[in-house]
Amino acid sequence: MSFTLTDQRSGFSETGLRRIRDVLARHVESGKIPGLVALVGRGDQTHVEAVGTMRHDGGAPMRRDTIFRMASTSKPVTMAAAMVLLDECRLRIDDPVEPWLPELADRQVLRRADGPLDDTVPARRPITVRDLLASTFGLGMDLTSLGTPIMDAVFERGIFSQSATALAAPDEWMRRLGTLPLMHQPGERWQYQISNDVLGVLVARVTGQSFETFLHERIFGPLGMKDTGFHVPADKIDRLPPCYTPNPQTGEFTVWDEAVGGQYSAPPAFQSGGGGLVSTVDDYHAYFRMLLNHGTHDGERILSRPAVELMTTNRLTPEQNAARTTMARNNVHVGFGQGQHGGWGMGMAVRTYRGDYAPIGQFGWDGGTGTTAYADPHNGLVGVLLTQVGLSLPAPAQLIHDFWTTLYQAIDD
């Protein structure tokens, strides 16, 4: 375990920081979380905890530079690539996407979201860049619709996979996506995940570069995010722990992905903006600090202030957001309480009501591999907590909740 108190004037109390440390240690000592790395930052001060071990049966200790599979916590970061293109007028927010994504032209829409795939009506309008940015283009993952023909087709055709390596290369992936109808009319309803993956393809086609290359040139490189990408190179693979999805019945640790020879040990065919990144607490801290700094980092502008404001402000109308709110509040047994923020910006949740200890305006997101990263403009705060335990059991979600509960108590102004 390591812990550094860097400055008494940082706005964190010593007592509060000790409480964070104690709560994190308690989760590891429970045996349900092998290890974790947590970072809290305010102003120029950062405090880092590395607790536990890389493997559930011991082995090397967690370190500050341990690399984690970010899962859906990728979304807030990969969204920045699209915002660069908006800033440069290479994309416009209400442009139809068909010139770059012809697979999404002339969409058909299901008459009923749970109906047969051939019972459709024409889309009322084309899909636009705005629809992809706000996750409202008409198709996405819906936990309340599992078992319907459209959700079955999404899994069967490899549009969404729980495996990082199972997705087809971008052109083939888009071809398969183009064979499916939409669940809802474009712009009608927020839906999860798939729009973020489509955005990665869009960025690559607009720029003529791979999605990852563009992210490295415009986001990761300028921010010094040296350990962030879509795979872990061989010379860093010893810093990647295995990822576990404990058995929901017994709690027994099951390896979902090993490090050496695993899903992230080689470049994937599909660079998933929805969930494909690996990263570290310091890399994510740099990114969220940039957002808090209205798009600048060390005096260099990465994104325009309006682009950051667009990303981190609720984009959804009450009608678009209704299904998301209902799912979060009525399915806490599925999401373990995650997702109850009220709003959604671009690639991330935005708190629009005070539902827990975090204030209105906090933005960020969580990942199914036990990751969480948010920034809070009101308090000038960034928090990042990374584990190697997937959300097949409540334990990592409970850890995430306890991290944020104790972090907000540690603020001492």
Side-chain angles (χ1 to χ4, degrees):
M1 183 187 304
S2 66
F3 184 71
T4 307
L5 179 63
T6 54
D7 194 314
Q8 298 296 316
R9 298 164 297 171
S10 63
F12 293 118
S13 71
E14 269 193 274
T15 303
L17 290 167
R18 276 197 299 271
R19 182 178 292 169
I20 295 173
R21 177 180 59 197
D22 292 345
V23 165
L24 297 180
R26 191 169 72 222
H27 278 274
V28 172
E29 289 160 4
S30 75
K32 296 179 181 178
I33 304 291
L36 59 87
V37 183
L39 179 150
V40 299
R42 206 165 176 221
D44 295 328
Q45 309 304 325
T46 56
H47 311 271
V48 176
E49 279 280 2
V51 188
T53 53
M54 299 273 277
R55 306 190 70 91
H56 83 90
D57 49 1
M62 283 288 180
R63 305 188 329 197
R64 180 169 183 159
D65 66 352
T66 297
I67 297 170
F68 293 87
R69 301 158 189 81
M70 300 307 293
S72 286
T73 318
S74 304
K75 290 176 172 68
V77 174
T78 58
M79 179 60 66
M83 305 312 291
V84 169
L85 297 181
L86 286 187
D87 275 345
E88 297 180 349
C89 300
R90 296 163 79 179
L91 283 175
R92 298 177 198 90
I93 198 163
D94 286 309
D95 277 346
V97 298
E98 293 168 15
W100 301 283
L101 304 173
E103 299 92 342
L104 296 183
D106 303 320
R107 293 292 80 202
Q108 292 290 308
V109 183
L110 293 174
R111 288 182 190 274
R112 287 181 33 176
D114 60 352
L117 298 184
D118 57 359
D119 186 13
T120 62
V121 297
R124 289 194 288 264
R125 63 163 176 81
I127 294 168
T128 66
V129 174
R130 184 188 299 270
D131 296 325
L132 295 179
L133 293 171
S135 294
T136 57
F137 87 102
L139 189 62
M141 297 308 301
D142 186 345
L143 291 176
T144 63
S145 297
L146 296 180
T148 61
I150 185 64
M151 282 294 102
D152 287 348
V154 163
F155 286 106
E156 288 163 5
R157 300 183 199 194
I159 304 303
F160 177 77
S161 171
Q162 297 290 351
S163 165
T165 53
L167 298 177
D171 289 351
E172 171 60 16
W173 187 85
M174 285 300 305
R175 186 197 67 77
R176 296 180 190 178
L177 179 64
T179 66
L180 295 177
L182 302 179
M183 292 178 72
H184 303 282
Q185 290 286 343
E188 191 173 77
R189 183 179 298 199
W190 181 89
Q191 289 184 284
Y192 194 53
Q193 176 68 29
I194 296 176
S195 62
N196 296 88
D197 285 339
V198 177
L199 272 172
V201 181
L202 178 64
V203 168
R205 290 185 179 178
V206 170
T207 62
Q209 300 176 287
S210 76
F211 186 36
E212 182 171 35
T213 297
F214 189 73
L215 278 166
H216 273 290
E217 288 185 2
R218 303 305 299 273
I219 307 298
F220 303 159
L223 288 174
M225 297 172 68
K226 61 184 185 297
D227 293 319
T228 302
F230 289 101
H231 83 288
V232 181
D235 62 350
K236 297 181 180 180
I237 199 74
D238 62 313
R239 291 161 53 193
L240 180 73
C243 187
Y244 300 102
T245 51
N247 183 296
Q249 279 72 48
T250 66
E252 180 184 358
F253 282 100
T254 303
V255 175
W256 174 69
D257 183 44
E258 198 46 89
V260 177
Q263 299 174 36
Y264 291 84
S265 63
F270 189 93
Q271 296 163 359
S272 168
L277 289 182
V278 292
S279 194
T280 62
V281 290
D282 282 294
D283 280 10
Y284 258 60
H285 180 234
Y287 179 77
F288 277 89
R289 285 298 318 169
M290 179 271 292
L291 295 183
L292 280 186
N293 290 331
H294 312 294
T296 63
H297 173 75
D298 288 344
E300 181 179 356
R301 183 155 293 284
I302 311 297
L303 295 173
S304 70
R305 178 188 288 259
V308 173
E309 290 171 349
L310 199 57
M311 294 170 71
T312 61
T313 306
N314 178 45
R315 301 259 58 77
L316 301 182
T317 66
E319 294 78 17
Q320 289 171 331
N321 203 30
R324 178 173 182 267
T325 300
T326 300
M327 183 175 75
R329 292 180 179 173
N330 292 351
N331 292 278
V332 290
H333 59 294
V334 176
F336 308 119
Q338 304 296 81
Q340 299 187 63
H341 309 84
W344 188 262
M346 291 178 173
M348 64 191 93
V350 180
R351 292 192 185 265
T352 57
Y353 71 100
R354 187 103 193 202
D356 55 25
Y357 282 32
I360 291 171
Q362 185 208 45
F363 55 81
W365 197 228
D366 310 291
T369 47
T371 59
T372 184
Y374 287 82
D376 169 2
H378 177 73
N379 290 294
L381 177 75
V382 175
V384 184
L385 170 69
L386 308 178
T387 78
Q388 77 277 58
V389 183
L391 294 174
S392 56
L393 285 177
Q398 292 168 345
L399 164 63
I400 288 169
H401 281 286
D402 292 352
F403 169 66
W404 289 108
T405 298
T406 49
L407 173 51
Y408 274 105
Q409 293 177 66
I411 294 171
D412 186 25
D413 289 339

